[in-house]
């Protein structure tokens, strides 16, 4: 009997995990990878599309191209998860698993920010970012806010990147001097674990005249008056608001009992990413392991879980503990890319080191994406 591994979610975590299981076992394993979407989009590609650097079609990697030995891709909505019996119900069929991996990512709670749906534009979902392309094409300058709405959000550098790219867009259009750009963030510095990175970003903001409002979130929006209201009651008028919506645990995960609350990410045993249910793992943004919500961390977690599954099937040593390490590329605008290497779990506190923007890092970021596409989607 082949071991049946059911992986819920074909994002960064799910794609890396199934690739490793297929590489390790081929047809000797029975993996079902479930996702409701038609295609995978890298997080950073959302910025590329909204700022007109790529077309939507060019950044959508179709799941029908995932053809790997031992892996079946099921395109369907996950409706319920029973972590005790490891039974999952999807719109298409019910699945029984020997090992279950939940990699459903983070959902967005647009309703948590009154006025966002009517008066602002969120750029974190695929449809939100793609729709912004037209909005930004039409934008002729004015008061722009990049506003984070909750304390936990994916890819901490992304709001700063959005501010840099908006600056470039307005410069290219000759509208920068007629505009203001303000970034509202819940942190004291742009990248708290890496003071060097934060200094570099703050210096680049100062050079470009971007205002950084720290330790704040956009709490609500008054669409009639075009005003963003911050957590402390301050009001900021705007002509364009690019929002990072409140993140939440997907409802199907809350209903399963794996998470106790929409804002309580799935608790896991940090070294192994196993939940309190034996044989049930939570990988990537959906878990509460304490690393930032970013693809590189989802991928690192997937590697540890893949090794544990392979060791369990073949026998062999358990993998090393998950260390929570990862490198994130940061777009500074002007075609420049820097990098921060962060380590969340190996030491007593998170640390991060900065690599200044360089041509080598531009090429490295391109390779980062193309190598994943090649590994995950090659036929
Ligand atoms: C603007 C932006 C820029 C970013 N830049 C970077 C970057 O440069 N580097 C980086 O490392 N990270 C970046 N990220 C973050 C990165 O995209 C996420 O952290 C990463 O995708 C998380 O991987 P995951 O596997 O946990 O979840 P996801 O990749 O979100 O995958 C979850 C999958 O589950 C599926 N799903 C959810 N619910 C259901 C359901 N009920 N039924 C069926 N399927 C379901 C979804 O369709 C999705 O495919 C960025 C994010 C944004 C928004």
């Amino acid at each position: 009997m082949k071991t049946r591994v059911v992986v819920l979610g074909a994002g960064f975590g799910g794609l890396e995990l199934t690739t490793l299981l297929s590489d390790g076992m081929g047809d000797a394993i029975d993996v079902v990878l479930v996702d409701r979407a038609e295609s995978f989009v890298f997080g950073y590609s959302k910025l590329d599309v909204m700022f007109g650097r790529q077309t939507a079609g060019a950044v959508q990697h179709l799941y029908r191209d995932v053809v790997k030995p031992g892996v079946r891709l099921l395109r369907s909505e996950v409706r319920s998860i029973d972590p005790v019996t490891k039974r999952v119900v999807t719109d298409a069929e019910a699945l029984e698993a020997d090992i279950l991996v939940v990699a459903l990512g983070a959902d967005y709670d647009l309703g948590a920010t009154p006025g966002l749906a009517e008066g602002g534009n969120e750029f974190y979902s695929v449809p939100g970012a793609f729709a912004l392309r037209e909005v930004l094409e039409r934008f002729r300058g004015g008061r722009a806010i990049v506003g984070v709405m909750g304390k936990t959000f994916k890819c901490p550098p992304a709001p700063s990147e959005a501010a840099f790219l908006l600056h470039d867009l307005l410069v290219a259009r000759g509208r920068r001097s007629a505009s203001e750009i303000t970034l509202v963030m819940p942190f004291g510095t742009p990248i708290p674990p890496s003071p060097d990175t934060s200094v570099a970003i703050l210096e680049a903001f100062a050079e470009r005249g971007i205002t950084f409002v720290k330790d704040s979130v956009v709490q609500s929006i008054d669409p009639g008056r075009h005003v963003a209201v911050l957590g402390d009651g301050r009001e900021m008028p705007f002509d364009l608001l690019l929002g990072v919506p409140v993140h939440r645990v997907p409802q199907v995960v809350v209903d399963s009992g794996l998470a106790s609350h929409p804002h309580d990410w799935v608790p896991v045993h940090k070294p192994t990413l196993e939940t309190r249910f034996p044989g049930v793992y939570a990988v990537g943004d959906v878990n509460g392991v304490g690393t930032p919500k970013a693809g590189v961390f989802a991928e690192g977690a997937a590697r540890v879980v893949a090794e544990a599954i392979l060791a369990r099937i073949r026998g062999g040593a358990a993998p090393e503990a998950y260390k929570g390490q990862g490198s994130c590329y940061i777009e500074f605008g002007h075609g420049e890319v820097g990098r921060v290497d962060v380590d969340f779990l190996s030491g007593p506190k998170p640390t991060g080191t900065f690599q200044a923007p360089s041509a080598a890092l531009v090429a490295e970021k391109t390779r980062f994406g193309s190598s994943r596409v090649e590994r995950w989607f090659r036929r």
Side-chain angles (χ1 to χ4, degrees), residues 268-289:
V268 288
H269 179 54
K270 286 188 183 183
T272 62
L273 288 314
E274 195 167 15
T275 67
R276 66 192 171 93
F277 300 95
V280 180
Y281 298 86
V283 160
D285 288 352
V286 79
N287 74 27
V289 74

Side-chain angles (χ1 to χ4, degrees), residues 9-14 34-37 40 43-44 46-47 63 76-78 103-105 108 123-124 154-155 158 252 283-285 293-296 298 329:
F12 250 95
V34 188
D35 205 293
R36 62 185 170 200
F40 171 76
Y44 57 76
K46 296 171 186 169
L47 295 171
Y63 285 131
S76 194
E77 177 87 27
V78 175
L104 291 171
Y108 304 120
F123 67 97
Y124 259 49
K154 293 182 196 182
C155 191
V252 69
V283 160
D285 288 352
K293 301 209 175 298
V296 282
Y329 300 99

Side-chain angles (χ1 to χ4, degrees), residues 11 24 47 123 183 196 207 244 263 268 291 306 346 354 356 358 364:
L47 295 171
F123 67 97
L183 171 60
D196 290 354
E207 280 163 18
V244 176
H263 299 288
V268 288
T291 56
S346 356
F354 179 58
S358 67
E364 197 181 288

Side-chain angles (χ1 to χ4, degrees), residues 335-347:
E336 295 177 340
V337 175
R339 198 176 96 185
V340 58
D341 303 323
V342 276
D343 182 334
F344 266 77
L345 301 176
S346 356

